[in-house]
Amino acid sequence: MSSKEWEVVAIVDINQEILKKSVEKYPSLEGKTYTSLKDCLKKVKADALLNVTPPSFHKETSIIALKEGLHVLVEKPLSDTIKNAEKIVEQAEKYGRKIMVSQNYRYNRIPRTIRKIIEQGEIGKISWCILNFQKGPRFGGFRAEMPFPLLIDMSIHHFDLSRYLLGTDPVSVYAESWKPHWSWLKGDPCVFLIFDFEKDIHFNYSGSWVSVGKDTQWPGIWEIYGDKGTVIWDNQGIKKVVEGKEENIEPITLEREDRYLSLYEFYRSIIEDREPETSGKDNLKSLKMVFKSLESIKKGRKVNL
Ligand SMILES: NC(=O)c1ccc[n+]([C@@H]2O[C@H](COP(=O)([O-])OP(=O)(O)OC[C@H]3O[C@@H](n4cnc5c(N)ncnc54)[C@H](O)[C@@H]3O)[C@@H](O)[C@H]2O)c1
């Protein structure tokens, strides 16, 4: 991936094999590889760290970089626990650096278009929203061992999207999880969740990571219901239904999309010295949707966020 604003000055991985393969794929990385972030930062002058380590390493690695004066763009989820995520945000504030989470799903044409439709009141006041996510990827690695792989590693994309699309934040959740008898993952890969949001909005989430028949797109299939009509986002795109009239909606055009747009937002937030759209502080609200869902599953009752 190339960027007009950013240049790769070093790549760090504790695994030599991965570094070797990266150089084979991208020969321009020759001579820029390191096996320790601390050692790298002693030798290389950098403005920012793009942190793509697994979630349990996000706190340690992000704080090393923040202490050395780098801004950090970290992959979702911000961290593996709320406490660790709060620590990263606190350290970013202490060192006066930006911490942004790569919630790339919302940086796309379709969610940006739906947000606009809702903000302009085209489907009226929203009352409820339904999301269905079904996929069955055959993961190995850390995901295969996680206790709640969908909820911990994937649902954060949908939760962040829900806050973005609905333009408001959740206040409570009731959650259930289970493991179908054919599941190839160790933890519970299926969930039903009911969130209450501010402004009396209700969000119904059903997700599975071991679906063998029906597959949805990665962002899932969304239906948002207001007092004037409905917006549907499915594998075909956006549909708006008002007074029984169904209309296909052409998404707005964007100069940049997805990770290109989130990288650009990261850059702009530094240049303009402002909070990035998906700052660590903002992202704590999306991350709480994950951990409060877990709490609800364990307690077997609705919990406040
Ligand atoms: N936004 C998205 O759509 C998206 C997609 C895939 C993965 N992710 C996220 O990206 C992150 C990484 O996921 P992945 O699937 O690429 O994981 P991975 O295990 O394939 O790769 C992570 C790499 O980090 C290295 N590493 C571990 N600890 C390190 C440390 N302390 N210092 C340097 N390197 C270290 C590992 O050796 C490994 O090569 C996760 O947070 C994941 O949720 C996001």
Side-chain angles (χ1 to χ4, degrees):
M1 182 169 170
S2 62
S3 157
K4 281 185 216 146
E5 292 78 27
W6 296 101
E7 182 196 345
V8 177
V9 290
I11 169 172
V12 183
D13 200 302
I14 48 172
N15 185 338
Q16 277 281 13
E17 270 308 299
I18 298 278
L19 291 173
K20 213 174 127 215
K21 281 187 189 150
S22 304
V23 174
E24 275 162 23
K25 195 167 174 193
Y26 302 102
S28 63
L29 294 175
E30 182 76 59
K32 296 179 181 171
T33 60
Y34 297 84
T35 49
S36 147
L37 180 60
K38 274 190 182 160
D39 290 349
C40 170
L41 295 180
K42 276 185 201 144
K43 293 174 190 152
V44 177
K45 199 175 153 8
D47 297 306
L49 171 74
L50 176 59
N51 191 343
V52 295
T53 58
S56 55
F57 299 99
H58 286 179
K59 181 182 129 193
E60 178 199 328
T61 45
S62 297
I63 292 176
I64 289 173
L66 291 166
K67 274 188 181 161
E68 289 299 322
L70 278 74
H71 303 284
V72 176
L73 174 59
V74 59
E75 258 304 343
K76 49 57 57 177
L78 174 53
S79 195
D80 56 345
T81 66
I82 284 289
K83 218 171 139 209
N84 285 347
E86 284 172 344
K87 187 74 188 169
I88 299 173
V89 172
E90 179 207 296
Q91 293 289 296
E93 274 167 19
K94 178 175 168 191
Y95 293 104
R97 302 287 93 183
K98 308 290 174 203
I99 175 83
M100 174 171 159
V101 184
S102 178
Q103 294 286 179
N104 53 307
Y105 279 40
R106 67 155 74 191
Y107 291 98
N108 281 296
R109 294 164 71 205
I110 291 186
R112 302 262 146 185
T113 308
I114 296 176
R115 166 93 181 222
K116 221 167 152 199
I117 290 171
I118 292 171
E119 272 176 353
Q120 288 170 351
E122 292 178 38
I123 59 162
K125 187 183 173 325
I126 307 300
S127 185
W128 71 95
C129 170
I130 299 170
L131 169 63
N132 185 21
F133 174 77
Q134 305 289 329
K135 276 206 182 289
R138 301 278 169 161
F139 290 124
F142 67 89
R143 291 177 183 88
E145 300 300 313
M146 281 177 150
F148 297 92
L150 175 72
L151 200 47
I152 292 182
D153 193 51
M154 179 64 206
S155 300
I156 185 79
H157 280 306
H158 304 128
F159 294 163
D160 188 67
L161 268 176
S162 71
R163 292 183 49 239
Y164 175 70
L165 295 175
L166 301 171
T168 179
D169 293 323
V171 291
S172 68
V173 60
Y174 172 72
E176 287 181 2
S177 75
W178 74 100
K179 178 169 159 172
H181 68 85
W182 69 83
S183 176
W184 53 88
L185 298 172
K186 195 170 170 190
D188 278 7
C190 297
V191 292
F192 282 163
L193 316 171
I194 299 172
F195 287 97
D196 290 341
F197 273 63
E198 287 162 354
K199 302 185 190 167
D200 199 20
I201 297 175
H202 305 267
F203 175 42
N204 183 338
Y205 180 108
S206 50
S208 157
W209 238 359
V210 289
S211 300
V212 286
K214 181 172 166 156
D215 227 12
T216 62
Q217 56 180 358
W218 282 99
I221 294 176
W222 292 78
E223 294 178 7
I224 304 172
Y225 292 84
D227 59 15
K228 287 190 188 153
T230 312
V231 169
I232 299 160
W233 174 14
D234 61 20
N235 300 11
Q236 272 78 50
I238 312 170
K239 268 194 273 306
K240 189 175 80 177
V241 189
V242 174
E243 289 172 3
K245 215 179 113 216
E246 196 172 299
E247 191 187 345
N248 291 322
I249 305 290
E250 187 57 32
I252 55 171
T253 49
L254 292 174
E255 249 175 62
R256 303 165 199 242
E257 255 197 297
D258 206 81
R259 289 183 174 86
Y260 290 99
L261 184 54
S262 59
L263 258 182
Y264 186 61
E265 166 63 8
F266 183 47
Y267 165 76
R268 295 299 315 173
S269 74
I270 296 165
I271 296 297
E272 293 163 17
D273 194 18
R274 60 164 173 80
E275 201 177 320
E277 181 178 319
T278 44
S279 67
K281 193 172 161 196
D282 175 84
N283 199 254
L284 287 173
K285 295 178 196 166
S286 299
L287 198 62
K288 274 194 182 151
M289 294 176 78
V290 175
F291 289 102
K292 290 293 174 174
S293 296
L294 286 178
E295 190 181 322
S296 173
I297 289 167
K298 284 172 189 161
K299 290 185 172 163
R301 62 169 171 81
K302 182 168 167 174
V303 298
N304 294 328
L305 268 93

